[in-house]
Amino acid sequence: MDATTTLSTRAWIDRFIAAVERESSELTELDRKAGDGDYGTNLRSALRRTAANLDAEPSESPRAVFTAVSDAFLNTGGTSGPLFGMWFREFAKALGADVTTSALAVAATNAAAVVQRLGKAEVGHKTMVDAMVPAAQALADAADRGVDVHTALAEAARAARAGAASTEQLLARRGRASYVGENARGVVDPGALTVAMFFRAATDEAPA
């Protein structure tokens, strides 16, 4: 049985914003080693725009919250901004008044597929997809088992974290990191790490 939850998506996004603020220097440094160094700045800009959107039109509706996040990213520069914008758009489309494990599974699965199509990336290419796909699979598995939302999100957070960690030794095949070849090996992809931070923010789960 797939029960609804009292999970506040606004609180989830607020925790995500706070986590990015704390870790933005690390994200920028990772991008400096494997990209052009503007990732952390662009991410903070998108999330500050998100906060402004949410403050301007306060709502606890999951659809409204994720629409605000999506709109903010779609209006942010860089390669990753529009991709994250389209990713979050799928969460806005799938989540209604209540958050369920099944709805999250649909959202994450559709969202990962959109990013893969637009970015032409697969798991193993050292991109955000390396965390998005495992998280989506974890949510789909949780939905099949009928587990509660908090358990499902904790499983997604662990899967995303493992996916992000797996990028460290990969040779990038997509994105700007692919331009620097072996120099990007040994560097965790900042986009994948951001996805892991997003799911972690939903749960307040302590690191394993």
Short mmCIF file of all heavy atoms in Angstrom, two decimals, residues 105-135:
data_model
loop_
_atom_site.label_atom_id
_atom_site.label_comp_id
_atom_site.label_asym_id
_atom_site.label_seq_id
_atom_site.Cartn_x
_atom_site.Cartn_y
_atom_site.Cartn_z
N ALA A 105 8.58 7.96 -7.66
CA ALA A 105 9.23 7.04 -8.60
C ALA A 105 8.98 7.47 -10.04
O ALA A 105 9.90 7.47 -10.88
CB ALA A 105 8.73 5.62 -8.37
N VAL A 106 7.74 7.84 -10.34
CA VAL A 106 7.41 8.33 -11.68
C VAL A 106 8.19 9.60 -11.99
O VAL A 106 8.77 9.75 -13.08
CB VAL A 106 5.90 8.58 -11.81
CG1 VAL A 106 5.57 9.31 -13.11
CG2 VAL A 106 5.13 7.26 -11.74
N ALA A 107 8.21 10.52 -11.03
CA ALA A 107 8.91 11.79 -11.23
C ALA A 107 10.39 11.57 -11.51
O ALA A 107 10.94 12.10 -12.50
CB ALA A 107 8.74 12.67 -9.99
N ALA A 108 11.05 10.78 -10.68
CA ALA A 108 12.49 10.58 -10.82
C ALA A 108 12.83 9.81 -12.08
O ALA A 108 13.84 10.09 -12.75
CB ALA A 108 13.03 9.86 -9.59
N THR A 109 12.00 8.84 -12.43
CA THR A 109 12.24 8.06 -13.65
C THR A 109 12.09 8.92 -14.89
O THR A 109 12.96 8.91 -15.79
CB THR A 109 11.28 6.86 -13.71
OG1 THR A 109 11.50 6.02 -12.57
CG2 THR A 109 11.48 6.06 -14.98
N ASN A 110 11.00 9.67 -14.96
CA ASN A 110 10.79 10.55 -16.10
C ASN A 110 11.85 11.65 -16.17
O ASN A 110 12.32 12.02 -17.26
CB ASN A 110 9.40 11.17 -16.04
CG ASN A 110 8.30 10.16 -16.28
OD1 ASN A 110 8.55 9.04 -16.72
ND2 ASN A 110 7.07 10.54 -15.97
N ALA A 111 12.22 12.16 -15.01
CA ALA A 111 13.21 13.24 -14.96
C ALA A 111 14.57 12.77 -15.46
O ALA A 111 15.24 13.46 -16.24
CB ALA A 111 13.32 13.77 -13.53
N ALA A 112 14.99 11.59 -15.01
CA ALA A 112 16.28 11.06 -15.47
C ALA A 112 16.25 10.82 -16.97
O ALA A 112 17.24 11.09 -17.68
CB ALA A 112 16.60 9.77 -14.72
N ALA A 113 15.13 10.32 -17.48
CA ALA A 113 15.01 10.05 -18.92
C ALA A 113 15.12 11.34 -19.72
O ALA A 113 15.75 11.36 -20.79
CB ALA A 113 13.69 9.34 -19.21
N VAL A 114 14.53 12.41 -19.23
CA VAL A 114 14.60 13.70 -19.92
C VAL A 114 16.04 14.19 -20.00
O VAL A 114 16.51 14.63 -21.06
CB VAL A 114 13.69 14.73 -19.22
CG1 VAL A 114 14.02 16.15 -19.71
CG2 VAL A 114 12.22 14.43 -19.48
N VAL A 115 16.75 14.12 -18.87
CA VAL A 115 18.13 14.59 -18.83
C VAL A 115 19.01 13.72 -19.74
O VAL A 115 19.88 14.23 -20.46
CB VAL A 115 18.66 14.61 -17.40
CG1 VAL A 115 20.16 14.90 -17.37
CG2 VAL A 115 17.91 15.66 -16.58
N GLN A 116 18.76 12.42 -19.71
CA GLN A 116 19.54 11.54 -20.59
C GLN A 116 19.31 11.88 -22.06
O GLN A 116 20.25 11.89 -22.86
CB GLN A 116 19.18 10.08 -20.32
CG GLN A 116 19.74 9.55 -19.01
CD GLN A 116 19.43 8.08 -18.82
OE1 GLN A 116 18.35 7.71 -18.39
NE2 GLN A 116 20.38 7.23 -19.15
N ARG A 117 18.07 12.15 -22.40
CA ARG A 117 17.75 12.46 -23.80
C ARG A 117 18.36 13.80 -24.22
O ARG A 117 18.99 13.90 -25.28
CB ARG A 117 16.23 12.51 -23.99
CG ARG A 117 15.84 12.71 -25.46
CD ARG A 117 14.35 12.70 -25.67
NE ARG A 117 13.70 13.91 -25.16
CZ ARG A 117 12.94 13.95 -24.08
NH1 ARG A 117 12.70 12.86 -23.37
NH2 ARG A 117 12.39 15.09 -23.68
N LEU A 118 18.19 14.80 -23.38
CA LEU A 118 18.70 16.13 -23.73
C LEU A 118 20.22 16.20 -23.68
O LEU A 118 20.85 16.84 -24.52
CB LEU A 118 18.09 17.18 -22.80
CG LEU A 118 16.58 17.39 -22.91
CD1 LEU A 118 16.11 18.38 -21.87
CD2 LEU A 118 16.20 17.87 -24.31
N GLY A 119 20.80 15.56 -22.66
CA GLY A 119 22.25 15.61 -22.49
C GLY A 119 22.99 14.52 -23.21
O GLY A 119 24.22 14.51 -23.23
N LYS A 120 22.23 13.56 -23.79
CA LYS A 120 22.84 12.42 -24.49
C LYS A 120 23.85 11.71 -23.60
O LYS A 120 24.94 11.32 -24.05
CB LYS A 120 23.48 12.87 -25.80
CG LYS A 120 22.48 13.45 -26.80
CD LYS A 120 23.16 13.89 -28.09
CE LYS A 120 22.14 14.35 -29.13
NZ LYS A 120 21.29 15.46 -28.66
N ALA A 121 23.47 11.54 -22.34
CA ALA A 121 24.36 10.91 -21.35
C ALA A 121 23.77 9.62 -20.83
O ALA A 121 22.55 9.48 -20.72
CB ALA A 121 24.61 11.87 -20.18
N GLU A 122 24.65 8.69 -20.51
CA GLU A 122 24.27 7.41 -19.92
C GLU A 122 25.03 7.23 -18.62
O GLU A 122 26.02 7.93 -18.35
CB GLU A 122 24.58 6.25 -20.88
CG GLU A 122 23.88 6.33 -22.22
CD GLU A 122 22.37 6.16 -22.11
OE1 GLU A 122 21.92 5.58 -21.10
OE2 GLU A 122 21.66 6.60 -23.04
N VAL A 123 24.60 6.28 -17.82
CA VAL A 123 25.35 5.93 -16.61
C VAL A 123 26.74 5.49 -17.02
O VAL A 123 26.91 4.71 -17.97
CB VAL A 123 24.63 4.81 -15.83
CG1 VAL A 123 25.51 4.29 -14.70
CG2 VAL A 123 23.31 5.31 -15.28
N GLY A 124 27.75 6.02 -16.34
CA GLY A 124 29.13 5.72 -16.68
C GLY A 124 29.81 6.81 -17.48
O GLY A 124 31.02 6.76 -17.71
N HIS A 125 29.05 7.84 -17.87
CA HIS A 125 29.61 8.96 -18.63
C HIS A 125 30.17 10.06 -17.74
O HIS A 125 30.65 11.07 -18.24
CB HIS A 125 28.56 9.55 -19.57
CG HIS A 125 28.32 8.72 -20.78
ND1 HIS A 125 27.45 9.11 -21.79
CD2 HIS A 125 28.82 7.52 -21.18
CE1 HIS A 125 27.43 8.18 -22.74
NE2 HIS A 125 28.24 7.21 -22.39
N LYS A 126 30.08 9.89 -16.40
CA LYS A 126 30.58 10.86 -15.44
C LYS A 126 29.81 12.17 -15.52
O LYS A 126 30.36 13.24 -15.78
CB LYS A 126 32.08 11.12 -15.65
CG LYS A 126 32.79 11.80 -14.46
CD LYS A 126 34.25 12.09 -14.79
CE LYS A 126 35.00 12.78 -13.66
NZ LYS A 126 35.47 11.82 -12.65
N THR A 127 28.50 12.07 -15.30
CA THR A 127 27.64 13.25 -15.29
C THR A 127 26.63 13.11 -14.15
O THR A 127 26.62 12.11 -13.42
CB THR A 127 26.85 13.40 -16.60
OG1 THR A 127 25.86 12.36 -16.69
CG2 THR A 127 27.76 13.34 -17.82
N MET A 128 25.74 14.06 -14.04
CA MET A 128 24.67 14.01 -13.05
C MET A 128 23.80 12.76 -13.20
O MET A 128 23.20 12.28 -12.23
CB MET A 128 23.80 15.27 -13.16
CG MET A 128 23.14 15.45 -14.51
SD MET A 128 22.12 16.96 -14.62
CE MET A 128 23.37 18.25 -14.64
N VAL A 129 23.76 12.21 -14.41
CA VAL A 129 22.97 11.00 -14.68
C VAL A 129 23.43 9.83 -13.82
O VAL A 129 22.63 8.96 -13.46
CB VAL A 129 23.06 10.66 -16.19
CG1 VAL A 129 22.56 9.24 -16.48
CG2 VAL A 129 22.25 11.68 -16.99
N ASP A 130 24.72 9.80 -13.47
CA ASP A 130 25.24 8.70 -12.65
C ASP A 130 24.61 8.66 -11.27
O ASP A 130 24.64 7.60 -10.63
CB ASP A 130 26.77 8.81 -12.54
CG ASP A 130 27.46 8.41 -13.84
OD1 ASP A 130 27.41 7.23 -14.19
OD2 ASP A 130 28.01 9.31 -14.51
N ALA A 131 24.06 9.75 -10.80
CA ALA A 131 23.33 9.75 -9.53
C ALA A 131 21.83 9.74 -9.76
O ALA A 131 21.08 9.15 -8.97
CB ALA A 131 23.72 10.98 -8.70
N MET A 132 21.37 10.36 -10.83
CA MET A 132 19.93 10.42 -11.11
C MET A 132 19.32 9.05 -11.36
O MET A 132 18.25 8.72 -10.84
CB MET A 132 19.67 11.33 -12.32
CG MET A 132 19.89 12.80 -12.07
SD MET A 132 19.69 13.74 -13.62
CE MET A 132 19.81 15.43 -13.00
N VAL A 133 19.98 8.25 -12.19
CA VAL A 133 19.41 6.95 -12.57
C VAL A 133 19.35 5.99 -11.39
O VAL A 133 18.30 5.36 -11.15
CB VAL A 133 20.18 6.35 -13.77
CG1 VAL A 133 19.79 4.89 -13.99
CG2 VAL A 133 19.90 7.17 -15.03
N PRO A 134 20.43 5.83 -10.60
CA PRO A 134 20.31 4.94 -9.43
C PRO A 134 19.24 5.39 -8.44
O PRO A 134 18.54 4.55 -7.85
CB PRO A 134 21.71 5.00 -8.81
CG PRO A 134 22.61 5.38 -9.91
CD PRO A 134 21.81 6.31 -10.78
N ALA A 135 19.10 6.69 -8.24
CA ALA A 135 18.07 7.20 -7.33
C ALA A 135 16.68 6.86 -7.86
O ALA A 135 15.79 6.44 -7.10
CB ALA A 135 18.22 8.70 -7.15
#
